Amino acid sequence: MSASQPPRRSLAHPSPSSIDGSKLAALTLGALGVVYGDIGTSPLYALKEVFTHGNLAVTRANIFGILSLVFWTLTIIVSLKYVTLILRADNNGEGGLVAMLALASMAVEDRPRLRRRLLAIGIFGTAIFFGDGIITPAISVLSAVEGLEVAAPGLEPFVVPVTLVVLTALFAMQKRGTASVGKLFGPITAVWFLVLALLGSVHIWRNPTVLEAVLPHHALRFIVDNPGLAFVSLGAIVLCVTGAEALYADLGHFGKRPIRLAWFGLVMPSLLLNYFGQGAMLLQHPENVSNPFYEMAPTWALVPLIGLATCATVIASQALISAAYSVTKQVVQLGYLPRQRILHTSVRDTGQIYVPSVNWALYGGIVSAVLLFGSSGALASAYGIAVTIDMLITTVMTFFVIRYAWRYPWLLCVAATGVFLVVDALFFSANAVKVINGGWFPLAIGIAMFTLMTTWQHGRQLLAERLRDEAIDLKPFLDSVFLSPPVRVPGTAVFLNAETGVTPNALLHNLKHNKVLHETNLFVSVRHHEVPWIGFDKRVEVEPLGHDCWRVVLHFGFKNDPDVPEALKLLRSHGVQLDEMETSYFLSREIVLPRRGAGMMTWREKLFAGMHRNAASVADFLNLPANRVVELGAKIEI
């Protein structure tokens, strides 16, 4: 079914809702596991890569300069940009790049050229997310298992096999759902952050002068004295903010207050204590730079720490995998990917879904990344480019939201986003030099996804235009049919139709071959809008056509589950009574035939035809009862 533009609505900034203490505590604990799993595992590899990435000497000045850059990076990018500003830009309570894209595109809907450009930029950012989704679990789990090398150097050959076993088990369990495991995410991650803080505090206590690094002049002196090294170091320092996008993406699950409380109350202090603890240790033992995180731990605690770190990285990976499912569902409903088979793994939480095609595509990509790069250090060269692209795109989208949706003054909007744009651009530039050394990997995945998404969207437009060219207006057609009506048979026929107001091909074929018409006929179109949720009070739009025929439009947000039978029950309030056992659903299934000389390039038309042919069943996507569906097909050239 096609996506359409939502009706104009108010984009005013929503007022915060109150949350009682016990619920706030539960949401805050949950946010620790889901929102901060990724950024919480960055101490495993971030500081190590900063020194090894640019062959940076482990000197006092360099340690203070790097720690100062880490502190101000976390403060500016996470605390100020995401936690303070971007969390305010919610789309009906929902966050994430897809929600931001919808919000920004609606804000400029009266500027079609600008809107098209923003949509292209936002879709590219969404495509790049999938590249990030492959790199993140690979580098996180690898970095945790690499602790085996510190515990026993002879175990180094087992790092990659153990990593693959952990990842295989993680992806194999996805079809069972994450409800039971999810309950453990928060407590385990809370323990992880407390351990981070404890490890760092011990070494800071031994060398408290390291705390001077919070002063910005250490970062400025490092940059002035070593401009080239500082620029290269930014490509690794960005690793300390990986997962910052999750703050915004999980807004709909937890809300602003729990996310902010978790960040300022536990996550940021724990991260800073650990980073500064690593720095304090390196001041005394610069030879430990090969793996400063694990070198902080006493020998007796090393094996339990490796186990806890592996659990933390699995949780971080799980959060990203779940996000990939959710983003895929949203993008499908916005019309940028073919329908996918989506399975719900919880009867209570509609957000818990499993998408088999995405699951195994991610698994294949992650296994390829682990085998191709072989270590977290090598993967760090590939990491960062996708993250910084999404950070840049989010900042750009934010400008258009606060300028055109919230109507803030132009100068204030430039001031609010300009600093972040400069910082994001610096990090992106520093990571761009890593393209040859591995950054090509997530970029290649992102470009491939962008090609698929734009091909699908353009192909659907061409298919819709072709169908419109051959379409017959529904109302005049029905009037002509009832001049000499066919035999009416008992029951209700529901004709699913992509275009409102035109005659479905399924109806034409039914009349031609079966020569009958049901007693009650519903001509149903499904519309997906650029808002997260549409309530039941706005779900159904009905127009009587006479002779017990009705035109029906069903409206869904990009986070709603499109359940047509359930939505049609709402017709009772409009005087249309349906008997589920006497209702048949008629679908028009088009077989796309590529044609040279029109539409897209030939290879893209063939790609679209293949995607269209392999898309999940419309009946499954719309939750139609399998034993009451009739499909009638036709060949369409584009």
Side-chain angles (χ1 to χ4, degrees):
M1 300 297 104
S2 64
S4 71
Q5 306 311 318
R8 184 179 293 273
R9 63 183 183 88
S10 171
L11 292 170
H13 187 265
S15 59
S17 57
S18 59
I19 306 176
D20 62 67
S22 59
K23 186 176 182 181
L24 179 61
L27 287 172
T28 303
L29 183 62
L32 286 175
V34 177
V35 177
Y36 295 110
D38 190 2
I39 199 171
T41 56
S42 57
L44 285 165
Y45 48 83
L47 213 59
K48 174 183 70 173
E49 295 306 323
V50 169
F51 284 97
T52 59
H53 177 67
N55 295 318
L56 190 64
V58 188
T59 64
R60 180 182 180 87
N62 289 346
I63 291 173
F64 274 60
I66 292 300
L67 289 178
S68 187
L69 282 172
V70 168
F71 174 81
W72 289 105
T73 297
L74 285 169
T75 300
I76 293 172
I77 291 182
V78 184
S79 297
L80 296 180
K81 177 184 171 181
Y82 282 97
V83 176
T84 303
L85 175 62
I86 290 181
L87 280 185
R88 300 179 69 234
D90 64 295
N91 189 341
N92 287 350
E94 295 294 331
L97 192 52
V98 174
M100 176 72 84
L101 169 60
L103 199 60
S105 65
M106 285 190 293
V108 297
E109 61 184 350
D110 55 343
R111 296 171 172 83
R113 182 176 298 179
L114 175 59
R115 185 177 183 279
R116 285 194 298 270
R117 291 175 180 172
L118 284 180
L119 282 171
I121 293 171
I123 291 301
F124 182 71
T126 304
I128 286 292
F129 165 81
F130 289 98
D132 183 32
I134 286 176
I135 295 292
T136 297
I139 191 174
S140 297
V141 178
L142 260 176
S143 62
V145 178
E146 281 171 351
L148 293 174
E149 300 175 15
V150 179
L155 296 177
E156 180 179 353
F158 295 96
V159 169
V160 170
V162 170
T163 298
L164 293 178
V165 169
V166 172
L167 289 169
T168 300
L170 174 62
F171 279 89
M173 63 166 273
Q174 295 303 311
K175 62 183 179 182
R176 301 181 182 274
T178 58
S180 57
V181 179
K183 294 177 182 177
L184 300 176
F185 281 9
I188 291 176
T189 309
V191 171
W192 169 251
F193 281 116
L194 291 174
V195 169
L196 290 182
L198 179 61
L199 287 173
S201 298
V202 170
H203 289 276
I204 292 172
W205 179 264
R206 295 171 182 171
N207 198 344
T209 58
V210 75
L211 295 175
E212 295 177 15
V214 300
L215 300 175
H217 77 269
H218 290 289
L220 295 174
R221 182 181 299 171
F222 175 73
I223 294 171
V224 171
D225 293 344
N226 310 278
L229 281 175
F231 179 76
V232 173
S233 297
L234 289 178
I237 288 175
V238 75
L239 296 173
C240 75
V241 293
T242 57
E245 286 283 339
L247 290 168
Y248 183 44
D250 289 304
L251 175 60
H253 292 110
F254 301 100
K256 301 180 184 67
R257 288 182 61 195
I259 291 174
R260 287 171 173 160
L261 183 60
W263 173 252
F264 289 114
L266 180 61
V267 178
M268 185 179 183
S270 298
L271 291 175
L272 290 175
L273 285 172
N274 194 267
Y275 284 126
F276 277 67
Q278 291 184 44
M281 182 199 64
L282 290 176
L283 286 173
Q284 293 182 313
H285 302 284
E287 69 277 6
N288 291 341
V289 71
S290 61
N291 203 324
F293 176 81
Y294 281 116
E295 294 290 355
M296 280 198 302
T299 304
W300 62 266
L302 195 53
V303 173
L305 183 60
I306 293 171
L308 179 61
T310 303
C311 290
T313 55
V314 166
I315 290 172
S317 301
Q318 176 61 64
L320 195 141
I321 293 167
S322 300
Y325 297 158
S326 179
V327 168
T328 300
K329 177 186 173 184
Q330 295 171 21
V331 171
V332 166
Q333 296 187 182
L334 285 176
Y336 284 93
L337 278 178
R339 295 178 302 274
Q340 305 291 316
R341 183 167 174 251
I342 298 176
L343 305 177
H344 289 267
T345 59
S346 172
V347 296
R348 292 180 297 179
D349 187 355
T350 59
Q352 290 191 20
I353 59 176
Y354 170 63
V355 186
S357 59
V358 175
N359 187 71
W360 297 114
L362 279 178
Y363 175 73
I366 292 169
V367 168
S368 300
V370 171
L371 294 176
L372 181 63
F373 293 94
S375 70
S376 62
L379 271 168
S381 297
Y383 206 25
I385 187 72
V387 173
T388 52
I389 288 175
D390 277 346
M391 285 165 53
L392 265 171
I393 291 174
T394 299
T395 301
V396 171
M397 294 290 177
T398 302
F399 170 80
F400 287 98
V401 170
I402 65 177
R403 174 70 183 105
Y404 295 103
W406 298 353
R407 306 292 183 184
Y408 286 172
W410 189 84
L411 285 177
L412 179 60
C413 296
V414 171
T417 58
V419 173
F420 301 131
L421 189 65
V422 170
V423 173
D424 292 341
L426 283 173
F427 278 109
F428 170 73
S429 301
N431 279 275
V433 301
K434 300 194 297 185
V435 170
I436 297 177
N437 295 325
W440 58 267
F441 186 76
L443 273 182
I445 295 169
I447 291 171
M449 285 299 303
F450 183 71
T451 301
L452 290 174
M453 293 165 74
T454 53
T455 297
W456 180 255
Q457 191 266 347
H458 192 193
R460 289 177 70 252
Q461 285 183 346
L462 293 175
L463 181 59
E465 291 171 3
R466 181 68 171 166
L467 291 172
R468 277 196 298 268
D469 291 342
E470 300 176 356
I472 303 171
D473 288 340
L474 179 59
K475 188 67 167 64
F477 177 78
L478 289 177
D479 291 339
S480 65
V481 166
F482 286 112
L483 290 176
S484 179
V487 175
R488 305 291 290 268
V489 296
T492 299
V494 177
F495 293 93
L496 275 299
N497 199 14
E499 292 294 325
T500 305
V502 301
T503 305
N505 285 331
L507 173 62
L508 296 174
H509 288 299
N510 188 49
L511 288 172
K512 178 180 179 181
H513 297 292
N514 297 326
K515 304 185 187 324
V516 297
L517 197 64
H518 284 70
E519 286 180 342
T520 303
N521 296 276
L522 305 178
F523 302 96
V524 178
S525 297
V526 175
R527 292 286 174 265
H528 295 290
H529 296 285
E530 294 177 357
V531 293
W533 307 99
I534 291 180
F536 286 110
D537 58 327
K538 298 179 181 178
R539 177 79 76 231
V540 177
E541 180 184 334
V542 184
E543 178 189 345
L545 301 174
H547 306 284
D548 291 321
C549 298
W550 284 268
R551 180 185 67 85
V552 180
V553 180
L554 303 179
H555 300 280
F556 296 94
F558 59 75
K559 296 203 74 172
N560 287 126
D561 291 318
D563 189 328
V564 169
E566 187 68 23
L568 291 180
K569 293 179 181 179
L570 299 173
L571 292 176
R572 293 170 183 167
S573 61
H574 296 271
V576 182
Q577 299 294 327
L578 299 181
D579 183 343
E580 292 184 21
M581 300 306 297
E582 295 293 327
T583 300
S584 299
Y585 297 86
F586 290 82
L587 304 178
S588 302
R589 185 173 183 86
E590 296 83 16
I591 300 173
V592 177
L593 301 177
R595 182 181 60 178
R596 289 190 177 186
M600 298 181 289
M601 297 176 66
T602 303
W603 69 268
R604 292 190 74 184
E605 289 190 355
K606 291 181 178 179
L607 176 60
F608 173 73
M611 294 170 73
H612 191 275
R613 182 172 56 253
N614 291 294
S617 165
V618 177
D620 291 339
F621 184 71
L622 299 179
N623 201 34
L624 305 181
N627 61 344
R628 308 206 64 80
V629 173
V630 179
E631 285 193 295
L632 299 170
K635 294 182 179 180
I636 305 292
E637 290 185 342
I638 60 171

